[in-house]
Amino acid sequence: SAVISQKPSRDICQRGTSLTIQCQVDSQVTMMFWYRQQPGQSLTLIATANQGSEATYESGFVIDKFPISRPNLTFSTLTVSNMSPEDSSIYLCSVDLGLDYGYTFGSGTRLTVV
Amino acid sequence: AQSVTQLGSHVSVSEGALVLLRCNYSSSVPPYLFWYVQYPNQGLQLLLKYTSAATLVKGINGFEAEFKKSETSFHLTKPSAHMSDAAEYFCAVGGGYQKVTFGTGTKLQVIP
């Protein structure tokens, strides 16, 4: 399997500011995924990030709000822009290692916007 | 299209009792099914997966799940609950070339 390092693990941010979350994988992967888990809810896919191409966003998520970078096969960032209290969530990155391992997740970034 | 339904957002069991967490799925193609566990303030950890091999799947920490196509179910069980099993459990469908869709989660409480 793979080890995913995600940081920061938590942050408290002022509304109107932006936060960039980093995700580092210890092996090369084609696809990386960013999820949001709002308080008391399940995981919602924000976007899929492939190296060398624009991220693919799910319905309800836009690039201006959640810009994603994928500069190489082991690293990705998600930025939460112009934050509001409604953005307070856990953000998780994930990689698909194939059916033998399923999706592997980072430990998450717990974001609180005040 | 695919979806999962987890019955019961909260389940309480006594320590040593059987754990049963229910998951029903809907998929237009043969499904890949997963159970994940999330401990407080942590990410998700894969418990077990079904990928069209044996219908009874054994996972980590003594958990297992049985794929029942006729019932479109993939319920998670453990014969004897331990205090350390208290967590939130997510059923998911998809994988491979399909996007993974997660259920709404079931919080398991273990009573001493």
Side-chain angles (χ1 to χ4, degrees):
Chain A
S1 62
V3 175
I4 301 177
S5 300
Q6 188 175 337
K7 57 182 180 181
S9 59
R10 59 179 60 230
D11 208 341
I12 300 173
C13 300
Q14 296 291 323
R15 67 177 66 200
T17 63
S18 298
L19 176 72
T20 295
I21 302 167
Q22 299 180 5
C23 182
Q24 178 77 52
V25 188
D26 68 349
S27 58
Q28 294 184 339
V29 293
T30 303
M31 296 167 67
M32 295 179 74
F33 306 88
W34 288 97
Y35 285 86
R36 180 175 73 181
Q37 186 179 22
Q38 293 179 299
Q41 298 189 28
S42 186
L43 283 76
T44 302
L45 181 64
I46 297 171
T48 302
N50 291 328
Q51 193 269 335
S53 63
E54 292 285 332
T56 302
Y57 289 82
E58 298 297 308
S59 176
F61 297 96
V62 295
I63 188 171
D64 290 346
K65 176 67 175 177
F66 297 101
I68 288 171
S69 76
R70 183 79 202 274
N72 57 53
L73 291 172
T74 64
F75 187 78
S76 179
T77 67
L78 169 75
T79 299
V80 186
S81 303
N82 188 24
M83 289 184 285
S84 67
E86 291 71 35
D87 294 319
S88 298
S89 295
I90 299 173
Y91 293 85
L92 299 115
C93 69
S94 175
V95 299
D96 183 4
L97 300 177
L99 293 176
D100 285 342
Y101 297 101
Y103 276 44
T104 297
F105 285 83
S107 55
T109 297
R110 185 178 295 271
L111 171 62
T112 302
V113 184
V114 297
Chain B
Q2 56 189 18
S3 65
V4 290
T5 301
Q6 290 184 242
L7 299 176
S9 59
H10 291 80
V11 171
S12 294
V13 300
S14 298
E15 190 175 16
L18 171 71
V19 175
L20 171 61
L21 304 182
R22 300 178 186 273
C23 173
N24 287 89
Y25 71 90
S26 172
S27 178
S28 57
V29 297
Y32 301 128
L33 295 159
F34 308 88
W35 275 101
Y36 286 87
V37 60
Q38 185 178 36
Y39 297 102
N41 300 316
Q42 295 188 27
L44 275 72
Q45 180 182 7
L46 181 65
L47 271 179
L48 50 79
K49 61 188 183 296
Y50 167 77
T51 58
S52 75
T55 56
L56 181 62
V57 181
K58 295 186 184 298
I60 62 172
N61 302 339
F63 283 94
E64 62 182 36
E66 185 173 9
F67 172 72
K68 292 186 176 180
K69 184 177 179 180
S70 61
E71 299 178 6
T72 61
S73 69
F74 190 58
H75 301 332
L76 181 70
T77 61
K78 182 174 181 178
S80 176
H82 192 272
M83 296 299 295
S84 61
D85 295 326
E88 188 159 18
Y89 293 80
F90 292 92
C91 182
V93 62
Y97 294 107
Q98 298 185 66
K99 181 177 65 174
V100 174
T101 301
F102 288 85
T104 51
T106 298
K107 288 187 177 178
L108 176 66
Q109 179 186 23
V110 182
I111 303 168

